[in-house]
Amino acid sequence: MKKLLSLFLVVALLVTVSGCKKEDVNLKIMAPIGSPALAQTYMESTLPSLGDNVTYEIEVVSGVDPLVAAFTSGSHDIIYAPTNLGAKLVSTGVDYQLAATVVWGNLYLATGTDDTFDLSDLDGKTIVVFGENATPHIILKAILDNETYTVPPVLEFVDSAGTANATLIQDPSKIVLLAEPVLSVASLPSNVANLKSINLQVAWENLTGDSSYPQAGIFVKTGLDSDAVDAYLEQVELSIEAALNDPAAVAQMGEDLGYTFPLPVMTSAIPRSNLEFVTAIDSKTALEAYFSYIIDFNAALIGGALPEDDFYYGE
């Protein structure tokens, strides 16, 4: 009888231990090609899983449309996206939270000239701008509005950073707004030999006193396994550190993964993308300051008001 009781207890213990095993999680992740994808390249290249029960798959996309589709359909567990885009979509009811900010501004004005090039040189000039009514337009307008010009610069809008870059390559005397990695494409000697640029992140700091603006972040689906999310975020932070410590090595990883930008472009773009991992809660003050500028520009672009506290993962 004692043997049977002991056997029963052993079986019960095994069942209990087996029942405590965490359920397998496979994270579906979407990241736009460029600075956000480069933030996680080291992890994508070197880490096939996040432990015994957490795997992930990355879809690298081009443009904003796939991001919007992923948010609205809930097709992906984690989405890298502009912070203001995510805030606007969350205000409509999509079930995502901002977990971290990873890109703190990657915008530059560029031209091909032998002369010096700074904000004072924009008096009366035409600037080719992508991202109308989005972050590039908002940041540039806030900076220009703070300058004094005899004749204010005129903004000429195009459909993409690629089109702005093509305009500059065709006529290096043009002044264009570019984002990394496209700025590094323009800076190739075969494209624009005498490229000069104005770092809009520095101009933003001079305007606001903030070191930079929280441009792009990581959004996670509400209710996702918190251990899996935390494990993923920890690896993204390490991935950014690896990229900043050795841009050339991580750029090579990007090339091996099939990223569409040339190796020298990614090598140059990484240090100019202002990659830094900051949790959503620690980003909150900077985000609200940035979102307040957007509200002043056009409140509809952010969903009409500052996000509620539950917008921030871990709040």
Side-chain angles (χ1 to χ4, degrees):
M1 184 67 180
K2 288 183 179 179
K3 289 183 179 180
L4 287 174
L5 181 59
S6 297
L7 181 60
F8 175 78
L9 291 173
V10 168
V11 171
L13 178 61
L14 290 173
V15 170
T16 301
V17 170
S18 175
C20 290
K21 183 179 182 295
K22 286 184 68 65
E23 186 177 339
D24 290 344
V25 176
N26 181 53
L27 300 173
K28 291 189 64 178
I29 301 161
M30 178 177 285
I33 190 68
S35 300
L38 290 170
Q40 59 83 59
T41 297
Y42 179 84
M43 179 182 64
E44 183 183 0
S45 175
T46 64
L47 197 67
S49 69
L50 301 172
D52 293 337
N53 69 305
V54 183
T55 57
Y56 67 93
E57 51 187 294
I58 302 281
E59 182 181 1
V60 177
V61 298
S62 179
V64 172
D65 289 347
L67 305 179
V68 175
F71 272 114
T72 54
S73 68
S75 59
H76 289 69
D77 301 301
I78 295 175
I79 304 171
Y80 288 69
T83 54
N84 62 306
L85 173 66
K88 179 181 179 180
L89 292 171
V90 168
S91 75
T92 68
V94 300
D95 290 327
Y96 288 85
Q97 295 175 291
L98 179 69
T101 304
V102 292
V103 179
W104 291 80
N106 65 356
L107 297 171
Y108 298 80
L109 289 177
T111 191
T113 176
D114 292 323
D115 301 324
T116 59
F117 181 52
D118 57 35
L119 290 173
S120 65
D121 297 319
L122 301 177
D123 199 302
K125 299 296 178 62
T126 296
I127 305 173
V128 178
V129 177
F130 76 98
E132 185 175 9
N133 293 325
T135 296
H137 182 193
I138 294 164
I139 295 297
L140 179 60
K141 186 176 186 304
I143 291 168
L144 295 180
D145 286 350
N146 191 56
E147 300 291 317
T148 301
Y149 295 110
T150 304
V151 179
V154 174
L155 305 186
E156 179 183 300
F157 294 100
V158 294
D159 62 350
S160 68
T163 301
N165 187 42
T167 301
L168 178 62
I169 292 172
Q170 184 175 8
D171 182 356
S173 69
K174 297 278 191 181
I175 299 171
V176 304
L177 177 65
L178 297 177
E180 282 292 4
V182 178
L183 175 70
S184 291
V185 173
S187 68
L188 294 173
S190 58
N191 288 333
V192 182
N194 298 309
L195 187 78
K196 299 288 194 306
S197 63
I198 298 172
N199 187 330
L200 294 188
Q201 289 61 241
V202 173
W204 180 264
E205 182 177 4
N206 293 336
L207 170 64
T208 65
D210 295 326
S211 60
S212 195
Y213 51 95
Q215 183 175 349
I218 301 173
F219 291 83
V220 300
K221 188 181 291 186
T222 304
L224 205 59
D225 182 281
S226 60
D227 289 338
V229 171
D230 292 344
Y232 180 79
L233 296 176
E234 180 180 347
Q235 292 303 322
V236 173
E237 183 172 13
L238 295 174
S239 188
I240 289 174
E241 290 178 8
L244 297 178
N245 288 334
D246 196 343
V250 172
Q252 182 62 61
M253 293 175 185
E255 182 175 69
D256 294 342
L257 289 167
Y259 290 6
T260 54
F261 289 101
L263 181 62
V265 166
M266 289 188 285
T267 303
S268 171
I270 287 171
R272 295 197 294 207
S273 290
N274 292 300
L275 301 177
E276 182 183 2
F277 181 93
V278 183
T279 66
I281 292 175
D282 289 342
S283 302
K284 186 174 180 179
T285 298
L287 283 158
E288 290 188 339
Y290 170 51
F291 289 164
S292 293
Y293 271 91
I294 296 175
I295 289 171
D296 290 342
F297 179 88
N298 183 346
L301 299 176
I302 200 72
L306 292 177
E308 300 292 336
D309 287 345
D310 59 4
F311 172 75
Y312 301 94
Y313 175 79
E315 186 70 81

